[in-house]
Amino acid sequence: MQILNDSIRALTEMRDGITWAYPTLTAVPGTHGFIDNTFADTTVPIFSGGGSGHDPAHWGYVGKGMLTGAIMGDFFMPPTATEIVQVIRAATHQRRAFLIVKNFVQDVKEFTAAAEELRQDGWNIGTAIVRDDVSVTGADHQQRRRGVAGTILVHKVVGAAAAQGASVTELQTLADQLLPELKTIGFSSSGAYIPGHENPSFTLPEDTISYGVGIHGEPGYHEETFRSSELLANELVDKLQINFHWQAGDHFAVLVNSLGGTTTMETLVFANDVRQLLTLGDVQVDFVKAGNFLSANGMHGLSLSLLRLANAAWLPLLQAPVQTPSWLQQ
Amino acid sequence: MQILNDSIRALTEMRDGITWAYPTLTAVPGTHGFIDNTFADTTVPIFSGGGSGHDPAHWGYVGKGMLTGAIMGDFFMPPTATEIVQVIRAATHQRRAFLIVKNFVQDVKEFTAAAEELRQDGWNIGTAIVRDDVSVTGADHQQRRRGVAGTILVHKVVGAAAAQGASVTELQTLADQLLPELKTIGFSSSGAYIPGHENPSFTLPEDTISYGVGIHGEPGYHEETFRSSELLANELVDKLQINFHWQAGDHFAVLVNSLGGTTTMETLVFANDVRQLLTLGDVQVDFVKAGNFLSANGMHGLSLSLLRLANAAWLPLLQAPVQTPSWLQQ
């Protein structure tokens, strides 16, 4: 049972709840998009988006120091290029923008088409395609690496640089350096809630964990019986180490993300397990966030994102002040 | 299935996760309490607490502009007077403090004993006993009105006044004026998760809502089959109106609180229903928060708190800046 009125109306009703609770967000009519109504249009505006159902992504990051606008589509469906262009044009008159896109086929297609349309109109557009999910392996893994919770760290670093006056070219250089240093892996014990559907997006046998589950319920790489939070953290940290080949003393930012259906207690107990394993690995953690940043609409699971701070300039960008609904949370 | 290691160790593991993610919080050894390590001890320190399992209450409100310290007990059990005194003494050397307590028999007993112990040692102590839950009715309702999510608004208003230099006497006057203007009512469709227990604290028949359920699973006043978010909002707003007897044009602050197990989408769709009903009621809403502020460890339900802004000074106190883990969230 979901506490909604009607699955068709859920997104527009949520929109009106969002603008009531967060008056600095303005909804863009005809879209599921929001813009920061405090944006002065003197710096490069940053946009992101994707399917709805990943709350508080991406609207929760609209505000000073992160996103200028967020464009969501229908539930688990990206917005159309037309909607993306409409929101961007509503937010700025300066013919420049930077787009942060999660690497799903349809998302990339729509955001790319939007960027092309604006470029043909003379706009200067930079783009970052986030491929942080390292759970998918195999010959075509560069194609299939999805954009997941690490995307929020890209919002933060790129958004802070934009707020400090970086040009589209400078933001592109920053994003190009940042993306290879960002990796995420997650697990789940349940599917996502889908408005209008009684059953979740998938079910697992009781007490079963699936590693590498996607945020839309794409199948994971391995299932096993749950034993402890610590063993889950161990699996994730191991897979990240294999991907990073980090050295003792490497500096990292950490994002522990609830997929929406965990308790705060679960999230923080798991975060503590991650803390202990990274300490054992002699990794230097300079920045930590733990909470509900990019969900799969109530999925009972967690993800772990690590950003290697390969450039000393990134930490102050992570720490820079923001005014958004969701970055400073819990 | 809960993603924990061991139910006995859950609270100390969570503690280490909290201090990792929120380095301005220092855990007080031998307690489940935290203090703000940025506190300069030049203003009256504010303390609150209660059982663990209500995350992010109350540790999530420790920081500049809200609480100086929070003292939790075991799961759903308040801290002892000894622990309360220990945390207060660790936070301040000025022999003054203000305590915000939720109205449960054991909580009041322990916090009162702590206050008495400190007073006997020459301390100047003010206290607020929050009784915002209006779901309990009957002859003994003043005794039984529980302290629930509205308590977070008391943290905010009293905490902001303290940060601005108010004395213990001034804080006591403020709290005494504030408390009668604060009312909360909630509902749930499921119990809370209890560490170490496979089953939740209670179960309801499928698609059943219980109104007035307590944050520890105390029984509600009415059960009915779920039909829509709007009808839930209607019931809550009606009950609050009966309690407030508000006039058209009265000014209010609103807190829509998830009990921990709702999706952000559910919380915001419900918030939008509340918005529409309050608009119909000609109520003037000056301040809105919607999110997960005081939970019942994963309970699938929501509460609605209204604070009548009977004094024009309260709104700027609600709006004053803070630096805490959880007030600015979601």
Short mmCIF file of all heavy atoms in Angstrom, two decimals, chain A residues 69-122:
data_model
loop_
_atom_site.label_atom_id
_atom_site.label_comp_id
_atom_site.label_asym_id
_atom_site.label_seq_id
_atom_site.Cartn_x
_atom_site.Cartn_y
_atom_site.Cartn_z
N GLY A 69 18.76 23.89 -12.27
CA GLY A 69 17.48 23.28 -12.62
C GLY A 69 17.59 21.77 -12.66
O GLY A 69 18.68 21.22 -12.83
N ALA A 70 16.47 21.10 -12.45
CA ALA A 70 16.41 19.65 -12.54
C ALA A 70 15.19 19.30 -13.37
O ALA A 70 14.12 19.90 -13.19
CB ALA A 70 16.29 19.03 -11.14
N ILE A 71 15.37 18.34 -14.27
CA ILE A 71 14.27 17.96 -15.15
C ILE A 71 14.03 16.46 -14.98
O ILE A 71 14.87 15.65 -15.37
CB ILE A 71 14.58 18.24 -16.64
CG1 ILE A 71 15.21 19.62 -16.81
CG2 ILE A 71 13.30 18.13 -17.46
CD1 ILE A 71 16.72 19.64 -17.00
N MET A 72 12.88 16.10 -14.40
CA MET A 72 12.53 14.70 -14.27
C MET A 72 11.48 14.35 -15.33
O MET A 72 10.76 15.23 -15.83
CB MET A 72 11.96 14.42 -12.87
CG MET A 72 13.03 14.24 -11.79
SD MET A 72 14.02 15.72 -11.47
CE MET A 72 12.78 16.80 -10.77
N GLY A 73 11.43 13.08 -15.65
CA GLY A 73 10.40 12.59 -16.56
C GLY A 73 9.31 11.88 -15.78
O GLY A 73 9.10 12.15 -14.61
N ASP A 74 8.63 10.98 -16.45
CA ASP A 74 7.67 10.16 -15.73
C ASP A 74 8.42 9.21 -14.80
O ASP A 74 9.65 9.20 -14.77
CB ASP A 74 6.80 9.39 -16.74
CG ASP A 74 5.75 10.29 -17.36
OD1 ASP A 74 5.36 11.29 -16.72
OD2 ASP A 74 5.32 9.99 -18.50
N PHE A 75 7.65 8.41 -14.07
CA PHE A 75 8.27 7.50 -13.12
C PHE A 75 9.27 6.58 -13.81
O PHE A 75 8.91 5.83 -14.73
CB PHE A 75 7.17 6.68 -12.42
CG PHE A 75 7.69 5.94 -11.23
CD1 PHE A 75 7.83 6.58 -10.01
CD2 PHE A 75 8.06 4.61 -11.34
CE1 PHE A 75 8.32 5.90 -8.90
CE2 PHE A 75 8.56 3.92 -10.24
CZ PHE A 75 8.68 4.57 -9.03
N PHE A 76 10.52 6.63 -13.40
CA PHE A 76 11.63 5.82 -13.94
C PHE A 76 11.82 6.02 -15.45
O PHE A 76 12.43 5.17 -16.12
CB PHE A 76 11.44 4.33 -13.62
CG PHE A 76 11.74 3.94 -12.19
CD1 PHE A 76 12.13 4.88 -11.24
CD2 PHE A 76 11.63 2.62 -11.77
CE1 PHE A 76 12.40 4.53 -9.92
CE2 PHE A 76 11.92 2.24 -10.45
CZ PHE A 76 12.30 3.20 -9.53
N MET A 77 11.34 7.13 -15.99
CA MET A 77 11.52 7.45 -17.41
C MET A 77 12.15 8.83 -17.51
O MET A 77 11.68 9.77 -16.85
CB MET A 77 10.17 7.49 -18.14
CG MET A 77 9.46 6.16 -18.20
SD MET A 77 10.27 5.04 -19.36
CE MET A 77 9.94 5.89 -20.91
N PRO A 78 13.16 9.01 -18.35
CA PRO A 78 13.77 10.34 -18.44
C PRO A 78 12.83 11.34 -19.08
O PRO A 78 11.86 10.96 -19.75
CB PRO A 78 15.00 10.09 -19.32
CG PRO A 78 14.68 8.89 -20.12
CD PRO A 78 13.79 8.04 -19.26
N PRO A 79 13.12 12.63 -18.90
CA PRO A 79 12.35 13.67 -19.59
C PRO A 79 12.69 13.64 -21.08
O PRO A 79 13.71 13.08 -21.48
CB PRO A 79 12.86 14.96 -18.95
CG PRO A 79 14.26 14.63 -18.54
CD PRO A 79 14.25 13.19 -18.13
N THR A 80 11.85 14.24 -21.89
CA THR A 80 12.16 14.36 -23.31
C THR A 80 13.10 15.53 -23.55
O THR A 80 13.21 16.44 -22.72
CB THR A 80 10.88 14.61 -24.12
OG1 THR A 80 10.35 15.89 -23.74
CG2 THR A 80 9.82 13.53 -23.87
N ALA A 81 13.75 15.49 -24.70
CA ALA A 81 14.64 16.60 -25.07
C ALA A 81 13.88 17.93 -25.05
O ALA A 81 14.41 18.96 -24.63
CB ALA A 81 15.25 16.33 -26.44
N THR A 82 12.66 17.90 -25.51
CA THR A 82 11.84 19.13 -25.53
C THR A 82 11.66 19.68 -24.12
O THR A 82 11.77 20.90 -23.90
CB THR A 82 10.46 18.80 -26.15
OG1 THR A 82 10.68 18.24 -27.44
CG2 THR A 82 9.60 20.05 -26.26
N GLU A 83 11.36 18.80 -23.17
CA GLU A 83 11.19 19.25 -21.78
C GLU A 83 12.50 19.79 -21.21
O GLU A 83 12.51 20.80 -20.50
CB GLU A 83 10.67 18.08 -20.92
CG GLU A 83 9.24 17.69 -21.25
CD GLU A 83 8.86 16.30 -20.74
OE1 GLU A 83 9.75 15.49 -20.39
OE2 GLU A 83 7.65 16.02 -20.69
N ILE A 84 13.59 19.11 -21.55
CA ILE A 84 14.90 19.55 -21.04
C ILE A 84 15.20 20.96 -21.54
O ILE A 84 15.59 21.85 -20.78
CB ILE A 84 16.00 18.55 -21.47
CG1 ILE A 84 15.73 17.18 -20.82
CG2 ILE A 84 17.38 19.07 -21.10
CD1 ILE A 84 16.50 16.02 -21.44
N VAL A 85 15.00 21.17 -22.84
CA VAL A 85 15.26 22.48 -23.43
C VAL A 85 14.36 23.55 -22.80
O VAL A 85 14.80 24.67 -22.49
CB VAL A 85 15.08 22.43 -24.97
CG1 VAL A 85 15.06 23.83 -25.57
CG2 VAL A 85 16.18 21.58 -25.59
N GLN A 86 13.11 23.17 -22.57
CA GLN A 86 12.15 24.11 -22.01
C GLN A 86 12.60 24.60 -20.61
O GLN A 86 12.55 25.79 -20.31
CB GLN A 86 10.80 23.40 -21.91
CG GLN A 86 9.64 24.31 -21.62
CD GLN A 86 8.32 23.53 -21.56
OE1 GLN A 86 8.23 22.42 -22.10
NE2 GLN A 86 7.34 24.10 -20.90
N VAL A 87 13.07 23.67 -19.79
CA VAL A 87 13.50 24.04 -18.44
C VAL A 87 14.77 24.88 -18.49
O VAL A 87 14.90 25.89 -17.78
CB VAL A 87 13.70 22.78 -17.58
CG1 VAL A 87 14.35 23.12 -16.24
CG2 VAL A 87 12.36 22.08 -17.35
N ILE A 88 15.70 24.50 -19.37
CA ILE A 88 16.95 25.26 -19.47
C ILE A 88 16.65 26.69 -19.92
O ILE A 88 17.16 27.66 -19.35
CB ILE A 88 17.93 24.56 -20.44
CG1 ILE A 88 18.39 23.23 -19.83
CG2 ILE A 88 19.12 25.46 -20.75
CD1 ILE A 88 19.23 22.37 -20.76
N ARG A 89 15.79 26.83 -20.92
CA ARG A 89 15.45 28.17 -21.42
C ARG A 89 14.69 28.99 -20.36
O ARG A 89 14.78 30.22 -20.35
CB ARG A 89 14.60 28.08 -22.69
CG ARG A 89 15.38 27.63 -23.93
CD ARG A 89 14.49 27.73 -25.17
NE ARG A 89 15.12 27.20 -26.38
CZ ARG A 89 15.94 27.89 -27.16
NH1 ARG A 89 16.25 29.14 -26.87
NH2 ARG A 89 16.45 27.33 -28.25
N ALA A 90 13.98 28.31 -19.49
CA ALA A 90 13.25 29.03 -18.42
C ALA A 90 14.19 29.54 -17.34
O ALA A 90 13.86 30.48 -16.60
CB ALA A 90 12.19 28.11 -17.80
N ALA A 91 15.38 28.93 -17.26
CA ALA A 91 16.28 29.26 -16.15
C ALA A 91 17.32 30.32 -16.51
O ALA A 91 17.83 31.00 -15.62
CB ALA A 91 17.01 27.99 -15.68
N THR A 92 17.64 30.45 -17.78
CA THR A 92 18.77 31.32 -18.16
C THR A 92 18.51 32.00 -19.50
O THR A 92 17.82 31.45 -20.36
CB THR A 92 20.08 30.51 -18.24
OG1 THR A 92 21.14 31.39 -18.64
CG2 THR A 92 19.99 29.35 -19.23
N HIS A 93 19.08 33.18 -19.65
CA HIS A 93 19.06 33.88 -20.94
C HIS A 93 20.45 34.08 -21.50
O HIS A 93 20.66 34.88 -22.40
CB HIS A 93 18.37 35.24 -20.77
CG HIS A 93 16.93 35.11 -20.37
ND1 HIS A 93 16.50 35.19 -19.07
CD2 HIS A 93 15.84 34.84 -21.11
CE1 HIS A 93 15.19 35.00 -19.03
NE2 HIS A 93 14.76 34.79 -20.25
N GLN A 94 21.42 33.35 -20.95
CA GLN A 94 22.82 33.60 -21.32
C GLN A 94 23.37 32.63 -22.35
O GLN A 94 24.55 32.66 -22.66
CB GLN A 94 23.69 33.56 -20.05
CG GLN A 94 23.33 34.65 -19.04
CD GLN A 94 23.49 36.05 -19.61
OE1 GLN A 94 24.43 36.30 -20.37
NE2 GLN A 94 22.57 36.94 -19.27
N ARG A 95 22.57 31.72 -22.85
CA ARG A 95 23.00 30.79 -23.90
C ARG A 95 24.24 29.98 -23.51
O ARG A 95 25.17 29.81 -24.31
CB ARG A 95 23.25 31.52 -25.22
CG ARG A 95 21.97 32.12 -25.75
CD ARG A 95 22.12 32.59 -27.17
NE ARG A 95 20.82 33.00 -27.67
CZ ARG A 95 20.40 32.81 -28.91
NH1 ARG A 95 21.17 32.21 -29.79
NH2 ARG A 95 19.20 33.21 -29.29
N ARG A 96 24.24 29.52 -22.30
CA ARG A 96 25.33 28.64 -21.85
C ARG A 96 24.75 27.76 -20.75
O ARG A 96 23.85 28.20 -20.01
CB ARG A 96 26.51 29.45 -21.33
CG ARG A 96 26.11 30.33 -20.16
CD ARG A 96 27.23 31.24 -19.71
NE ARG A 96 26.79 31.99 -18.52
CZ ARG A 96 27.53 32.89 -17.90
NH1 ARG A 96 28.74 33.17 -18.33
NH2 ARG A 96 27.06 33.51 -16.84
N ALA A 97 25.24 26.54 -20.67
CA ALA A 97 24.74 25.62 -19.64
C ALA A 97 25.67 24.42 -19.55
O ALA A 97 26.42 24.12 -20.49
CB ALA A 97 23.32 25.15 -19.98
N PHE A 98 25.59 23.76 -18.40
CA PHE A 98 26.34 22.52 -18.22
C PHE A 98 25.37 21.46 -17.74
O PHE A 98 24.61 21.68 -16.80
CB PHE A 98 27.48 22.72 -17.21
CG PHE A 98 28.47 21.58 -17.24
CD1 PHE A 98 29.54 21.60 -18.12
CD2 PHE A 98 28.30 20.48 -16.41
CE1 PHE A 98 30.44 20.54 -18.19
CE2 PHE A 98 29.19 19.41 -16.47
CZ PHE A 98 30.26 19.45 -17.36
N LEU A 99 25.39 20.29 -18.42
CA LEU A 99 24.41 19.23 -18.14
C LEU A 99 25.09 18.02 -17.52
O LEU A 99 26.11 17.54 -18.04
CB LEU A 99 23.71 18.79 -19.44
CG LEU A 99 23.21 19.88 -20.38
CD1 LEU A 99 22.42 19.25 -21.53
CD2 LEU A 99 22.36 20.90 -19.65
N ILE A 100 24.52 17.52 -16.44
CA ILE A 100 25.03 16.31 -15.77
C ILE A 100 23.99 15.20 -15.97
O ILE A 100 22.85 15.33 -15.54
CB ILE A 100 25.26 16.59 -14.27
CG1 ILE A 100 26.29 17.72 -14.11
CG2 ILE A 100 25.73 15.31 -13.57
CD1 ILE A 100 26.40 18.25 -12.68
N VAL A 101 24.42 14.11 -16.62
CA VAL A 101 23.49 13.09 -17.08
C VAL A 101 23.93 11.72 -16.56
O VAL A 101 25.12 11.40 -16.60
CB VAL A 101 23.47 13.06 -18.63
CG1 VAL A 101 22.39 12.11 -19.14
CG2 VAL A 101 23.29 14.46 -19.20
N LYS A 102 23.00 10.93 -16.09
CA LYS A 102 23.31 9.56 -15.67
C LYS A 102 23.33 8.66 -16.91
O LYS A 102 22.49 8.78 -17.80
CB LYS A 102 22.26 9.07 -14.66
CG LYS A 102 22.21 9.93 -13.39
CD LYS A 102 21.51 9.27 -12.21
CE LYS A 102 20.06 8.91 -12.44
NZ LYS A 102 19.19 10.06 -12.77
N ASN A 103 24.26 7.74 -16.93
CA ASN A 103 24.49 6.92 -18.12
C ASN A 103 23.46 5.78 -18.27
O ASN A 103 23.78 4.62 -18.00
CB ASN A 103 25.91 6.35 -18.11
CG ASN A 103 26.25 5.66 -19.42
OD1 ASN A 103 25.82 6.10 -20.47
ND2 ASN A 103 27.02 4.58 -19.35
N PHE A 104 22.27 6.16 -18.68
CA PHE A 104 21.27 5.20 -19.14
C PHE A 104 20.96 5.57 -20.60
O PHE A 104 20.97 6.76 -20.95
CB PHE A 104 20.00 5.28 -18.29
CG PHE A 104 20.21 4.84 -16.87
CD1 PHE A 104 20.50 5.76 -15.88
CD2 PHE A 104 20.14 3.49 -16.53
CE1 PHE A 104 20.72 5.35 -14.58
CE2 PHE A 104 20.35 3.08 -15.22
CZ PHE A 104 20.64 4.00 -14.24
N VAL A 105 20.69 4.58 -21.42
CA VAL A 105 20.58 4.82 -22.86
C VAL A 105 19.60 5.95 -23.17
O VAL A 105 19.92 6.89 -23.91
CB VAL A 105 20.15 3.52 -23.59
CG1 VAL A 105 19.87 3.78 -25.06
CG2 VAL A 105 21.25 2.46 -23.45
N GLN A 106 18.42 5.88 -22.58
CA GLN A 106 17.39 6.87 -22.91
C GLN A 106 17.74 8.25 -22.36
O GLN A 106 17.46 9.27 -22.99
CB GLN A 106 16.03 6.42 -22.37
CG GLN A 106 15.35 5.38 -23.23
CD GLN A 106 15.12 5.86 -24.65
OE1 GLN A 106 15.70 5.33 -25.60
NE2 GLN A 106 14.30 6.88 -24.81
N ASP A 107 18.31 8.27 -21.15
CA ASP A 107 18.70 9.55 -20.55
C ASP A 107 19.73 10.25 -21.44
O ASP A 107 19.61 11.45 -21.74
CB ASP A 107 19.33 9.34 -19.17
CG ASP A 107 18.33 8.88 -18.11
OD1 ASP A 107 17.64 7.86 -18.35
OD2 ASP A 107 18.24 9.53 -17.06
N VAL A 108 20.73 9.50 -21.86
CA VAL A 108 21.79 10.09 -22.68
C VAL A 108 21.22 10.57 -24.00
O VAL A 108 21.55 11.66 -24.48
CB VAL A 108 22.93 9.07 -22.88
CG1 VAL A 108 23.95 9.58 -23.90
CG2 VAL A 108 23.62 8.77 -21.54
N LYS A 109 20.33 9.79 -24.58
CA LYS A 109 19.72 10.17 -25.85
C LYS A 109 18.96 11.51 -25.74
O LYS A 109 19.15 12.41 -26.56
CB LYS A 109 18.77 9.05 -26.29
CG LYS A 109 18.14 9.26 -27.65
CD LYS A 109 17.19 8.11 -28.00
CE LYS A 109 16.24 8.56 -29.08
NZ LYS A 109 14.91 7.99 -28.95
N GLU A 110 18.15 11.63 -24.71
CA GLU A 110 17.32 12.84 -24.59
C GLU A 110 18.17 14.07 -24.22
O GLU A 110 17.97 15.15 -24.79
CB GLU A 110 16.23 12.63 -23.54
CG GLU A 110 15.23 11.52 -23.87
CD GLU A 110 14.40 11.78 -25.12
OE1 GLU A 110 14.23 12.95 -25.51
OE2 GLU A 110 13.92 10.79 -25.72
N PHE A 111 19.10 13.91 -23.29
CA PHE A 111 19.92 15.05 -22.91
C PHE A 111 20.85 15.47 -24.06
O PHE A 111 21.12 16.66 -24.26
CB PHE A 111 20.70 14.75 -21.62
CG PHE A 111 19.91 15.00 -20.37
CD1 PHE A 111 19.14 13.98 -19.80
CD2 PHE A 111 19.90 16.25 -19.76
CE1 PHE A 111 18.40 14.21 -18.64
CE2 PHE A 111 19.16 16.48 -18.60
CZ PHE A 111 18.40 15.47 -18.04
N THR A 112 21.34 14.47 -24.81
CA THR A 112 22.20 14.79 -25.95
C THR A 112 21.42 15.55 -27.03
O THR A 112 21.91 16.53 -27.60
CB THR A 112 22.81 13.49 -26.53
OG1 THR A 112 23.53 12.83 -25.50
CG2 THR A 112 23.73 13.78 -27.69
N ALA A 113 20.21 15.10 -27.27
CA ALA A 113 19.38 15.79 -28.27
C ALA A 113 19.08 17.22 -27.82
O ALA A 113 19.09 18.16 -28.64
CB ALA A 113 18.07 15.01 -28.48
N ALA A 114 18.86 17.40 -26.53
CA ALA A 114 18.61 18.75 -26.00
C ALA A 114 19.85 19.63 -26.20
O ALA A 114 19.75 20.79 -26.63
CB ALA A 114 18.23 18.68 -24.52
N ALA A 115 21.02 19.06 -25.86
CA ALA A 115 22.27 19.83 -26.01
C ALA A 115 22.48 20.21 -27.47
O ALA A 115 22.86 21.35 -27.78
CB ALA A 115 23.45 19.00 -25.48
N GLU A 116 22.21 19.26 -28.38
CA GLU A 116 22.39 19.55 -29.81
C GLU A 116 21.46 20.66 -30.28
O GLU A 116 21.87 21.55 -31.03
CB GLU A 116 22.16 18.27 -30.63
CG GLU A 116 23.35 17.33 -30.60
CD GLU A 116 24.68 18.04 -30.86
OE1 GLU A 116 24.79 18.74 -31.88
OE2 GLU A 116 25.59 17.93 -30.00
N GLU A 117 20.23 20.58 -29.84
CA GLU A 117 19.27 21.62 -30.23
C GLU A 117 19.74 23.00 -29.78
O GLU A 117 19.67 23.98 -30.55
CB GLU A 117 17.89 21.29 -29.63
CG GLU A 117 16.83 22.30 -30.03
CD GLU A 117 15.46 21.98 -29.44
OE1 GLU A 117 15.15 20.79 -29.22
OE2 GLU A 117 14.70 22.95 -29.20
N LEU A 118 20.22 23.08 -28.56
CA LEU A 118 20.67 24.37 -28.05
C LEU A 118 21.96 24.83 -28.74
O LEU A 118 22.11 26.02 -29.06
CB LEU A 118 20.88 24.29 -26.53
CG LEU A 118 19.58 24.14 -25.72
CD1 LEU A 118 19.87 23.75 -24.28
CD2 LEU A 118 18.75 25.43 -25.76
N ARG A 119 22.85 23.88 -29.01
CA ARG A 119 24.10 24.26 -29.72
C ARG A 119 23.80 24.83 -31.10
O ARG A 119 24.44 25.78 -31.54
CB ARG A 119 25.02 23.04 -29.84
CG ARG A 119 25.74 22.70 -28.53
CD ARG A 119 26.70 21.52 -28.70
NE ARG A 119 27.29 21.15 -27.42
CZ ARG A 119 27.25 19.94 -26.88
NH1 ARG A 119 26.66 18.94 -27.53
NH2 ARG A 119 27.81 19.71 -25.72
N GLN A 120 22.81 24.20 -31.75
CA GLN A 120 22.46 24.71 -33.08
C GLN A 120 21.88 26.12 -33.01
O GLN A 120 21.87 26.86 -33.99
CB GLN A 120 21.47 23.76 -33.76
CG GLN A 120 22.16 22.48 -34.24
CD GLN A 120 21.22 21.46 -34.80
OE1 GLN A 120 20.07 21.77 -35.11
NE2 GLN A 120 21.69 20.23 -34.96
N ASP A 121 21.44 26.47 -31.81
CA ASP A 121 20.92 27.82 -31.60
C ASP A 121 22.02 28.74 -31.03
O ASP A 121 21.74 29.83 -30.54
CB ASP A 121 19.73 27.75 -30.64
CG ASP A 121 18.87 28.99 -30.70
OD1 ASP A 121 18.88 29.70 -31.73
OD2 ASP A 121 18.19 29.29 -29.68
N GLY A 122 23.25 28.26 -31.08
CA GLY A 122 24.37 29.10 -30.67
C GLY A 122 24.78 29.00 -29.21
O GLY A 122 25.62 29.78 -28.74
#
